Amino acid sequence: MRSDIEGLVRQQNDNVYTVNLDNRICSCTVFQENGIPCGHAVTVIFARDGRNLNDYMPDVLSVETWKKTYSSNFPLIDISDLEPLPLSECHPPLTRVLRGRPKKERFRKEDIRGPRGEAAAQAMAEPAGDGDDEVWVPYHCGTCGGRGHSALTCRQPHT
């Protein structure tokens, strides 16, 4: 390695990166991707005496290019002969954002309430499909063993 254009940079976590300033290459690949020196390349540039960071920046980002871009005024555009559109009024949207936390959407009991108890078991019962007269009930109580309700709504004392 020639010491004036190449260098090794070791980070605190013991990662080592190789930087070549002539080819504008760093092993982290950031220098190659956008042309702007990465932190490893800046370290090598500043470690060498007589090196300037502006020499390694892309020409697009130079002060001279910036000055050339804004050296002349932009041309004015005359809009005095333009006709306004018939619907030129601009109103804010008709939505309203409420303050605070949004309310939780809940099911109303009246909307989902159906028959309860034995009537619910009979209403929800379906034939087993074997040709037998047995009826399948979707749920039964774990406390009393009754059909059509669960242990949460059972009126028997829980033991």
Side-chain angles (χ1 to χ4, degrees):
M1 273 198 262
R2 290 187 351 205
S3 62
D4 57 341
I5 60 169
E6 293 183 358
L8 293 174
V9 177
R10 181 185 304 266
Q11 289 184 331
Q12 291 179 349
N13 58 1
D14 291 333
N15 290 344
V16 178
Y17 295 95
T18 305
V19 178
N20 186 329
L21 295 178
D22 275 352
N23 297 332
R24 298 175 187 251
I25 295 174
C26 180
S27 58
C28 74
T29 68
V30 174
F31 199 2
Q32 299 91 280
E33 286 177 6
N34 54 18
I36 299 172
C38 62
H40 313 113
V42 171
T43 303
V44 174
I45 291 169
F46 286 153
R48 308 292 182 236
D49 291 335
R51 301 279 182 174
N52 187 1
L53 185 60
N54 292 333
D55 298 337
Y56 297 98
M57 296 297 285
D59 293 335
V60 178
L61 299 177
S62 68
V63 175
E64 291 80 23
T65 305
W66 181 78
K67 286 180 180 178
K68 288 177 187 175
T69 302
Y70 296 104
S71 63
S72 63
N73 293 332
F74 292 108
L76 296 176
I77 299 173
D78 184 24
I79 60 169
S80 61
D81 58 340
L82 291 178
E83 295 291 326
L85 295 175
L87 299 175
S88 63
E89 295 181 14
C90 181
H91 298 290
L94 298 176
T95 60
R96 183 174 152 219
V97 178
L98 299 175
R99 291 175 21 187
R101 185 177 177 144
K103 295 194 177 208
K104 186 173 184 178
E105 294 181 20
R106 297 185 177 161
F107 296 107
R108 296 181 56 170
K109 288 183 182 178
E110 297 83 26
D111 296 340
I112 60 171
R113 182 169 283 173
R116 301 179 104 185
E118 197 65 32
Q122 290 174 359
M124 296 177 70
E126 297 178 3
D130 298 339
D132 299 335
D133 292 336
E134 293 182 21
V135 175
W136 176 78
V137 178
Y139 54 89
H140 68 279
C141 179
T143 302
C144 69
R147 298 185 313 169
H149 67 277
S150 65
L152 292 173
T153 59
C154 184
R155 296 184 183 186
Q156 296 292 325
H158 297 287
T159 55

